[in-house]
Amino acid sequence: MGVIQKIGVFTSGGDAPGMNACLRAVVRKSVSVGLDVVGIRRGYQGMIEGDFVDMDSKSVSNIVQKGGTILKSARSKAFRTPEGRALAAGYLKQAGIQGLVAIGGDGTLAGASVFYDEYKIPLVGCPGTIDNDLFGTDETIGFDTAVNTAIQNIDKIRDTADAHDRLFLVEVMGRDAGFIALNCGIGGGAEMVLIPETLSDLDEVKHHIYTLMSSQHRSSIVVVAEGDETGGATQIANVLRADAAFENIDLRVCILGHTQRGGAPSARDRVLASRLGVAAVDALLAGHSNVMVGIVNNEIKLTPSRNVWSRKKSISYELLGLTQMLS
Ligand code: F6P
């Protein structure tokens, strides 16, 4: 592969606030060094369909503050097949695209590794997912905004919980990870946080909540990560409602769901996304391939894509200790 003159950029998987800021950085950095940039719509699905659009500095004006992704996103089933990937490689070749920047989460980077092994098109990933579950970066694009959104909602739930002396089970996103739950649990002053990284014994959960509600706390908030092995907030509520001891405890479930994926990115996410977008183009130009750019201890770091999704990023046990100590 000679000197790269034209690159493609796409957003893939679950959207995350800050993806647009990252896209803007990729496009503007590329333009500044004389690269041609093509936007690939709807992630890998658009690659398979040759859904490409030429981009320049103007095409990314006025998007740094916007949630979602102007290139749209998708979870492509067809890209998981060799036939789908062959179609994608064909369209990239036809368009003269010699390098790729992928903005997305674990599924995106897993797809990128397979594609690179097969077609050797240089590819650099940018970590974009609210879940923060990627090894190789302290924070992913969208995580900070999602935590802030969840905290704002928990504050509101706290008002109504207090007014009615109620117990609220608040479910936050995190399919396999408890980063959002842990952070918004601490910031929102939750009485208990349940995450997939730690096993929750339902009898102990019941006992803890019962003790809380019948002693100092007349209202309580329990934050549950959607991926918690208990089955989530609705499942826990069913277990509690079936127990006679909870007969007089007024409880409600609130699932924050996709509210956490939308909205304007926080300042922190915009800055992170801008740094990573520029770093991704730098990495491509420096000849790196099949890596993800991340920020570790405030420094740009490259990690092989395979490690990003095959290695488990650890939660902070210090934060976990805080949730227990401060509740
Ligand atoms: O992108 C991550 C995530 O928001 C997870 O937290 C959640 O489990 C999943 O995506 C939901 O995906 P979808 O919007 O495709 O249902």
Side-chain angles (χ1 to χ4, degrees):
M1 178 70 65
V3 180
I4 293 179
Q5 283 164 345
K6 188 175 194 177
I7 67 162
V9 59
F10 60 98
T11 50
S12 168
D15 63 317
M19 278 185 162
N20 279 325
C22 187
L23 178 62
R24 171 178 176 266
V26 169
V27 172
R28 294 219 164 141
K29 169 70 189 182
S30 301
V31 169
S32 79
V33 293
L35 287 177
D36 290 332
V37 198
V38 170
I40 301 165
R41 292 201 189 92
R42 295 174 293 118
Y44 291 119
Q45 192 56 36
M47 206 183 276
I48 287 172
E49 295 168 17
D51 191 359
F52 301 162
V53 56
D54 289 336
M55 301 193 86
D56 59 18
S57 265
K58 271 193 131 181
S59 32
V60 289
S61 290
N62 196 20
I63 64 165
V64 73
Q65 79 284 17
K66 287 191 175 146
T69 154
I70 60 162
L71 284 181
K72 298 190 179 284
S73 195
R75 299 193 194 274
S76 173
K77 281 195 186 140
F79 194 76
R80 294 196 195 137
T81 66
E83 295 78 18
R85 293 192 294 276
L87 277 174
Y91 276 116
L92 293 176
K93 194 167 177 216
Q94 196 180 314
I97 293 170
Q98 300 156 307
L100 291 166
V101 175
I103 307 167
D106 53 355
T108 304
L109 289 160
S113 296
V114 175
F115 194 53
Y116 181 77
D117 288 345
E118 289 174 350
Y119 295 99
K120 300 282 181 274
I121 300 170
L123 186 146
V124 174
C126 283
T129 166
I130 64 166
D131 286 359
N132 196 31
D133 58 346
L134 298 179
F135 182 84
T137 190
D138 289 342
E139 252 177 56
T140 55
I141 298 164
F143 170 64
D144 182 62
T145 309
V147 170
N148 278 294
T149 301
I151 284 181
Q152 283 160 16
N153 284 312
I154 289 170
D155 288 350
K156 290 174 186 171
I157 291 167
R158 175 78 68 190
D159 290 344
T160 175
D162 191 45
H164 286 267
D165 289 338
R166 275 179 176 158
L167 163 68
F168 267 85
L169 299 166
V170 181
E171 186 175 294
V172 297
M173 275 191 166
R175 195 173 23 209
D176 307 306
F179 294 96
I180 298 178
L182 201 49
N183 282 270
C184 71
I186 293 173
E191 276 68 30
M192 194 175 191
V193 177
L194 300 177
I195 56 174
E197 288 84 350
T198 57
L199 277 183
S200 326
D201 178 284
L202 265 178
D203 284 333
E204 275 174 30
V205 171
K206 268 203 282 191
H207 178 70
H208 187 72
I209 297 176
Y210 182 79
T211 314
L212 277 172
M213 290 301 288
S214 47
S215 58
Q216 75 272 33
H217 292 257
R218 298 185 62 83
S219 69
S220 293
I221 290 183
V222 176
V223 172
V224 187
E226 89 179 285
D228 190 65
E229 71 291 340
T230 50
T234 307
Q235 182 62 25
I236 298 174
N238 290 340
V239 170
L240 298 184
R241 284 186 178 121
D243 189 321
F246 282 79
E247 204 178 28
N248 296 320
I249 294 178
D250 200 6
L251 79 92
R252 293 288 185 275
V253 170
C254 183
I255 297 177
L256 299 185
H258 289 79
T259 57
Q260 296 155 97
R261 289 248 293 265
S266 64
R268 190 178 167 104
D269 270 329
R270 294 181 203 192
V271 174
L272 175 70
S274 302
R275 289 179 76 188
L276 291 175
V278 168
V281 178
D282 281 338
L284 262 186
L285 291 175
H288 295 287
S289 257
N290 208 13
V291 292
M292 182 194 81
V293 288
I295 292 186
V296 177
N297 294 332
N298 206 27
E299 277 183 24
I300 301 285
K301 281 265 156 41
L302 303 181
T303 303
S305 300
R306 195 166 293 286
N307 294 354
V308 168
W309 50 269
S310 62
R311 290 200 190 169
K312 182 94 179 143
K313 179 171 168 181
S314 176
I315 52 148
S316 157
Y317 285 88
E318 183 217 331
L319 290 190
L320 189 62
L322 284 191
T323 66
Q324 286 151 4
M325 207 261 284
L326 298 176
S327 68

